[in-house]
Every structure is written in C-alpha cells, then in structure tokens.
Amino acid sequence: MLFDIRRILGGLFAVYGVILVVAGLLDGAEEIAKAEGVRINLWTGVGMLVLAGVFLVWERLRPKDVPDPSDESSGDA
C-alpha cells in the first residue's frame, strides 16, 4: 500500500492513548486530587483512542486513489 499519513497518525494516537489509559488507571489519590477529582490521564487517553479509531476507519473506508501509470499520456509535447 501507499504511504498514508492517516495510518501513521492513527497508530501514534493509539499508542499514546494506551499509555495514558494505563497511567490513568494507575493514578493515585494525590494525582487525582491535583486534577480536581478528574482522572485527566484516563479521559485524555480514551479521547486519543477514539481519535485513533476515527483515523484508522477513515483510512480503510476512503483509501487513497492512485492513478494508473498506463492511463497517463506519454508526456511528449
């Protein structure tokens, strides 16, 4: 397949999202209190995983169109 930035972005968001979800699940009471009672790492990680899913589904549903080299004119002008 061709290089598609959507796959790269989706993969990066997925990796960082998993890291943040794990960090959010392992947050102690002190970290949660610093964030005013919100598990910010967990929610940010979930958001990043959703965004990764959007990018990867978008890449699958709307693949990049590649022109066929045989359809191009010879270019002799």
Side-chain angles (χ1 to χ4, degrees), residues 1-59:
M1 287 195 76
L2 291 172
F3 172 77
D4 195 349
I5 194 71
R6 296 174 290 186
R7 183 181 305 162
I8 303 297
L9 289 175
L12 285 174
F13 275 114
V15 168
Y16 289 130
V18 167
I19 291 170
L20 282 175
V21 165
V22 170
L25 291 173
L26 299 177
D27 276 346
E30 184 179 324
E31 288 88 6
I32 296 171
K34 256 198 270 187
E36 297 182 8
V38 178
R39 289 184 173 263
I40 194 70
N41 287 333
L42 179 64
W43 289 110
T44 303
V46 168
M48 291 179 91
L49 288 174
V50 168
L51 187 60
V54 168
F55 271 107
L56 295 173
V57 167
W58 180 27
E59 189 248 339

